[in-house]
Amino acid sequence: MEEIKVSTTEELFKLLNELPNHFIYRGHANASWMLQSSLERMIGEKWSTDMAKRFEDYSLLQFKPKFHLYDHENIEPKSKLAWLSIMQHYGVPTRFLDFTESPYIALYFALEAYNPQTPTDLAIYAIDYKKIMIQSIAHISSKNKTFKEDYNSVYEKQDEIFDDTIDTFNYEIAWIAEPKQLNAN
């Protein structure tokens, strides 16, 4: 990962505006914070994809019957991707990490929790969505010869591919997706 230090807001805005449209962003109030999901932080050194999947599956079994108690705005999710997304919103640790398509929203989240009295820098992570997805699709294809999707075809099938391929086979990849059925948050 390339690190670019900026000193002024003008320099930051210039850099962010120069990036192509296929980037996603995440803001951290402390530049030393790692890109880790809440589940990764909770499991810590014992992290494995198998343990993460077991935790999420158990949490899902506990959450589904109580969904109506938590949420009165959304309809019941139809895919595991959508279930995990809404569970994360309610504070259940998942392997998901929220990103935004707007660098300015990422900046807002970095500034929202930033304390200017501390000697730390904030961070805006800019990740090339297209490059990550091409690499992840290639990895899946190398492991599963029946997987025939490509960068263009996965967009309309994000829920199905997550549920039927990524989650089922527990691939250790970055998968950038949002459920077809979005929740109010």
Side-chain angles (χ1 to χ4, degrees), residues 43-75:
I43 294 174
E45 294 295 319
K46 296 179 183 178
W47 169 265
S48 73
T49 54
D50 289 335
M51 183 178 281
K53 186 170 179 352
R54 282 195 312 270
F55 181 91
E56 283 179 343
D57 289 345
Y58 175 79
S59 296
L60 189 56
L61 284 173
Q62 300 299 311
F63 186 84
K64 273 185 172 183
K66 299 173 184 94
F67 172 72
H68 68 283
L69 300 172
Y70 295 110
D71 195 303
H72 303 287
E73 298 175 325
N74 297 294
I75 59 173

Side-chain angles (χ1 to χ4, degrees), residues 91-107:
V92 178
T94 70
R95 62 192 135 153
F96 290 1
L97 195 56
D98 288 330
F99 280 82
T100 177
E101 294 175 337
S102 169
Y104 303 106
I105 292 173
L107 179 59

Side-chain angles (χ1 to χ4, degrees), residues 8-34:
T8 66
T9 53
E10 291 80 16
E11 186 180 359
L12 175 64
F13 291 156
K14 182 179 183 302
L15 286 168
L16 292 174
N17 287 328
E18 290 174 350
L19 291 172
N21 286 339
H22 53 84
F23 274 71
I24 55 174
Y25 305 90
R26 180 174 175 86
H28 281 189
N30 187 325
S32 68
W33 294 346
M34 308 255 317

